[in-house]
Structures are given as structure tokens and as C-alpha cells.
Amino acid sequence: MPESGASRAQQERTHISTTGTGTAEPGTATGTGTTDRKTDRTGKADPADRTDGAAAGAAGPPPGSPAATGAARRTGLLVTLVLGGLTALPPLSMDMYLPALPAVTESLQAPAATVQLTLTACLTGMALGQLVVGPMSDRWGRRGPLLLGMIVYVVATAICVFAPTAELLIGFRLLQGLAGAAGIVIARAVVRDMYDGVEMAKFFSTLMLISGVAPIVAPLIGGQVLRFTDWRGVFAVLTLVGLVLTLVVWKWLHETLPPQDRHTGGIGDTLRTMRGLLADRVFTGYMIAGSLAFAGLFAYVSASPFVMQEIYGASPQTFSLLFGINSIGLVAVGQINGKLLVGRVSLDKVLAFGLSAIVLAATALLLMTSGVFGDVGLVPVATGLFVLMSAMGLAAPNTNAQALMRTKHAAGSASALLGTSSFLIGAVASPLVGIAGEDTAVPMALVQLVCGVGALACFLGMCRPWQRTSPTS
């Protein structure tokens, strides 16, 4: 039987040494007396296989039989929904709360600037929490740290319901973000445990469908909740969502990191692991390229309400429609990437096209907003933003997949670095869009162009895809 592209990629790819004992190949243990993980014909690890060895020798339908195929399909769908829910939880935590900000200001009798810190605290927690939870999952496995993070998330969110002051709300929103980061970082690590090569890129594109829809529906859900209760009810709903996800993870998401593949060192070993990851030029190139592209997305989210409504005259309803269309473009292109392109076109070629499209769209936006073409109006600017947002559907999943394919035995730490880098660079880019005041959209377009050019330069200069010959490059 011929090998799949994912299997060949597993055999040919050289991974980073994270323990100081030399490189390791996928499917080989870092310890002694271990065996390869079971994979199916596509190179995927069977998501129903309990990698802790407890299920070894258990009776089941013969591999390849209709019963086994159906069970694998159902299990794969369930894992997709669980990981998608974990990925969607952070945007739900951030965006469901947005319609309630004025009510929080009035209820807690706090300045608007202070209440805005509740958003900053949650975002900061999500960024920094990944640096903690990712290495924890490499040492103790994925399931334990994830369940711990979800339990803390539920408790912190429940306390937010009863927060009597803005200061306490800020503190527990920080804790909520720190704990919620477990879902983001471990979901990516679980994907890396289960898949390799083109299959991993396909799965990331599927997750983008869920994570792309979540920011669209979150404010709508928050607005509907506020029709029946006050802002505290939003946190009550988030508590319920977190509790359901915790129960689902506890019941259906099995451990995906075998004991023999876990790290046993302390903080020093974790720091050495991350230093080893950052020392790998190609991994760091993908990480920075993906983070800069994500910063362009942050710039859009921060500036688009002001740019479209105040400068180009869109009504709130028109803005909501355009925002939704752009999000649909991102999700649709992500699905085209996963369903049609991955496996037929190399990931690096698709990534190069996506980053180039971002640069071209940002260049057009800068020319339009700076008046080179005169007063262009809303439609051309909205079109440029649609192209830029849609191209993100090619950039995000492929940078993640290519970076994580180099880090089989440090997926948690690698996922932490990817997530933290994206959040921090995005947080730096967001305030820059308003640096020139409220009468021009040039800063938004300029930030997007700088981020796009920087991402493409990092990809070409650091990843150097023409020097690598693996099937997925």
C-alpha cells in the first residue's frame, strides 16, 4: 500500500531537539521500550486510541471494517466539535461582553476607561496563560491541565457574576483569561498529537470555521441575553458554557500525549525547550509571519467600526452586514484551503499566495484611504477589506500547521509560543490604528501593510521554503 503524504512527511521531517538528547522523529519515543503510535491510512493518529496504554488489547471491530470506519468518523466529528468549542470559548468570553460595557459602567459607577480594562485584563490573561499551560501540557499530558484550566475558568467566570466593584471584576477577568488560555493552547497541541502533514492543515482549516463564526455570533448572543437580564447574566451564560465544555472534555476527550513522550524537567527544562524552539529559524519564521498576519486582523477589528461608520458613512446595520460578510469570506477561504487546496498544492505555496494577497489588498487600501484615487467611497474600501480578511483564511491555518509540524515532542510549548506571539503582537498593533486621530483611515491601512510586508518577509527570509523538499512544503 503506498504511503500517504502525511506519513512520508512524518518519516522525512527533522524535528527540533527539545530535551538536549538529540532529534526525534514522529512515532518514535523519547524514552526506552516504547512503540509507535497507531495511525490510519491518512497518517492520522486514531483519536479514539487511548495513548496511555489502558486500551491496549481491547476488543473492537477489525480495522477497515464498516463498523470501525463509522466509529472513527463519529469519534473524529466529536473531537472536532470539542476542540472547536475550546477554540471558540475565548472569543465568546471577549465579545459576548461587548454590548454590556455601558451597563457595567453605570452599574459599578466606574469610569469608562476603568471598565475598558476588564477587556484588556482578559486579553492579557489569554496571552500569558498560554505560556504557562502549554509547557504544563507537555509535562503532565493534555487532559489534566485542560480540565484544571476549565474548572478555574468556570469558577472565575461565576465570581464575575457577583463582582461588586470594577477592580474585582478586572482581577477575575484576568484570571478568566489565564484559565481560558488552556483551551486555545491545548486544542492546538491535541491537533499536533493526532495529525501530521496535510491532515493537520486540513484540521486547522476546519477549526477556523468554528473560531471564525464565534466572534460574529458572540455580540448577537450577548445582545439577546441583555434583553432578558443585566450584564451579570452574560457572565452567568458564560459560566454555563464553560461548565458544559468541562463536562464534555472530561467525558469524551481522551489523553493524546503518551507518557513516554512527556517532558519530566522543571522550569529550567521548559525554558530550554522554548529557547530551542525559538532558535529554530524556520519555526520562528512561521511564528512571526503568522503573528504579523494576525496583527493585521487585530487592526481591522479595532479600526473598522470607526472607519466604516464615521469616515465612510456606513450605518450600524450596514457595518454589521459588512463585518459579517468579511468574516464569512475568512471562513469560506479557510474551508477552500482545507477541502480543496491542502494535499493538492504545497502548504508553502498556498501560504505565499495568501500573504501576497494580504500585501496587495493592504497596498490598495493605503492608496485609497490616502486620496491617491480621490474620494473612493465605502464600496471600494469595503472590497479591499474583504480581500484582506479572506486571505487570512490561507495564512492562519498554514502558518500554524507548518510551525507545529516541526515540534512533535514539544507541541504544548510550541502552541504556547504561537498563541502568545499572536496575541501580544496584535495587542501592540491595535492602538496604532488611531494614532493620527479620527479623521483618517490611513493608519489602519498602513499598519496592515507593514504587518503584511513583515509577514511575507519573515516567511521568505526565515522559512526559505525553496530550500526544503518535504511533501508539504
Side-chain angles (χ1 to χ4, degrees):
M1 181 178 66
E3 293 178 305
S4 68
S7 298
R8 289 195 302 271
Q10 286 181 327
Q11 294 171 3
E12 294 174 9
R13 189 175 301 277
T14 300
H15 291 275
I16 303 168
S17 173
T18 58
T19 61
T21 59
T23 58
E25 293 294 325
T28 60
T30 55
T32 60
T34 59
T35 58
D36 290 346
R37 290 184 62 193
K38 182 168 61 180
T39 58
D40 64 17
R41 288 192 230 179
T42 63
K44 298 182 292 184
D46 180 1
D49 182 24
R50 291 298 300 269
T51 56
D52 56 8
S65 67
T69 302
R73 185 179 297 112
R74 289 190 297 272
T75 303
L77 176 60
L78 182 60
V79 170
T80 301
L81 293 176
V82 173
L83 297 183
L86 293 172
T87 305
L89 187 59
L92 287 176
S93 301
M94 291 290 296
D95 296 342
M96 274 185 64
Y97 177 63
L98 293 178
L101 283 177
V104 177
T105 301
E106 181 178 354
S107 173
L108 298 182
Q109 298 181 348
T114 301
V115 174
Q116 286 285 348
L117 290 177
T118 60
L119 296 175
T120 304
C122 188
L123 182 62
T124 302
M126 289 178 185
L128 299 180
Q130 296 183 63
L131 289 176
V132 177
V133 179
M136 285 176 60
S137 73
D138 281 339
R139 182 174 183 181
W140 289 297
R142 315 301 185 204
R143 184 175 161 86
L146 177 57
L147 284 171
L148 177 61
M150 292 303 300
I151 291 171
V152 175
Y153 174 89
V154 170
V155 173
T157 307
I159 294 176
C160 288
V161 176
F162 305 101
T165 66
E167 290 74 19
L168 281 177
L169 184 60
I170 291 170
F172 284 104
R173 283 283 278 176
L174 176 65
L175 182 60
Q176 183 191 41
L178 288 167
I184 311 174
V185 67
I186 293 181
R188 276 195 301 262
V190 167
V191 174
R192 182 61 189 95
D193 294 338
M194 293 168 53
Y195 299 96
D196 201 1
V198 296
E199 293 299 326
M200 182 164 54
K202 289 180 179 180
F203 200 95
F204 276 126
S205 294
T206 302
L207 286 185
M208 177 165 284
L209 173 63
I210 301 173
S211 60
V213 170
I216 304 174
V217 302
L220 300 178
I221 296 174
Q224 293 303 310
V225 170
L226 291 174
R227 293 182 59 186
F228 301 98
T229 182
D230 60 6
W231 63 270
R232 299 181 188 273
V234 174
F235 287 108
V237 172
L238 286 172
T239 301
L240 180 61
V241 170
L243 182 60
V244 170
L245 268 176
T246 303
L247 294 175
V248 168
V249 168
W250 174 75
K251 184 171 179 60
W252 281 298
L253 188 64
H254 299 309
E255 180 59 65
T256 59
L257 185 66
Q260 65 268 17
D261 288 345
R262 298 175 189 176
H263 296 181
T264 57
I267 295 178
D269 183 68
T270 297
L271 294 177
R272 284 190 295 272
T273 296
M274 290 189 170
R275 187 172 62 231
L277 291 168
L278 294 175
D280 179 66
R281 171 178 50 79
V282 178
F283 171 84
T284 302
Y286 284 122
M287 181 187 74
I288 297 177
S291 298
L292 286 171
F294 193 64
L297 175 62
F298 263 65
Y300 161 77
V301 172
S302 299
S304 59
F306 165 74
V307 168
M308 290 188 178
Q309 295 181 79
E310 299 298 326
I311 297 179
Y312 291 98
S315 66
Q317 293 74 24
T318 300
F319 166 72
S320 298
L321 176 63
L322 293 174
F323 191 90
I325 290 173
N326 289 342
S327 299
I328 291 172
L330 185 152
V331 170
V333 172
Q335 295 313 293
I336 291 172
N337 176 71
K339 305 299 183 184
L340 298 179
L341 299 179
V342 172
R344 295 178 174 87
V345 184
S346 73
L347 300 186
D348 280 331
K349 288 181 180 178
V350 175
L351 178 56
F353 179 82
L355 294 176
S356 298
I358 291 173
V359 171
L360 292 175
T363 301
L365 284 168
L366 181 60
L367 294 175
M368 287 188 288
T369 57
S370 60
V372 172
F373 302 127
D375 187 6
V376 296
L378 175 63
V379 173
V381 172
T383 302
L385 288 171
F386 174 79
V387 173
L388 187 146
M389 285 289 293
S390 298
M392 296 289 178
L394 301 178
N398 292 327
T399 51
N400 280 334
Q402 289 289 67
L404 287 173
M405 268 191 276
R406 302 181 63 82
T407 60
K408 175 66 177 177
H409 297 289
S413 296
S415 178
L417 290 173
L418 291 171
T420 301
S421 174
S422 295
F423 274 92
L424 292 181
I425 293 179
V428 170
S430 295
L432 299 178
V433 298
I435 198 169
E438 301 180 355
D439 299 324
T440 176
V442 170
M444 177 194 72
L446 185 60
V447 169
Q448 290 171 334
L449 180 58
V450 170
C451 289
V453 170
L456 186 59
C458 285
F459 170 64
L460 295 176
M462 300 178 70
C463 301
R464 301 174 190 173
W466 59 87
Q467 295 181 351
R468 291 175 289 116
T469 58
S470 71
T472 57
S473 65

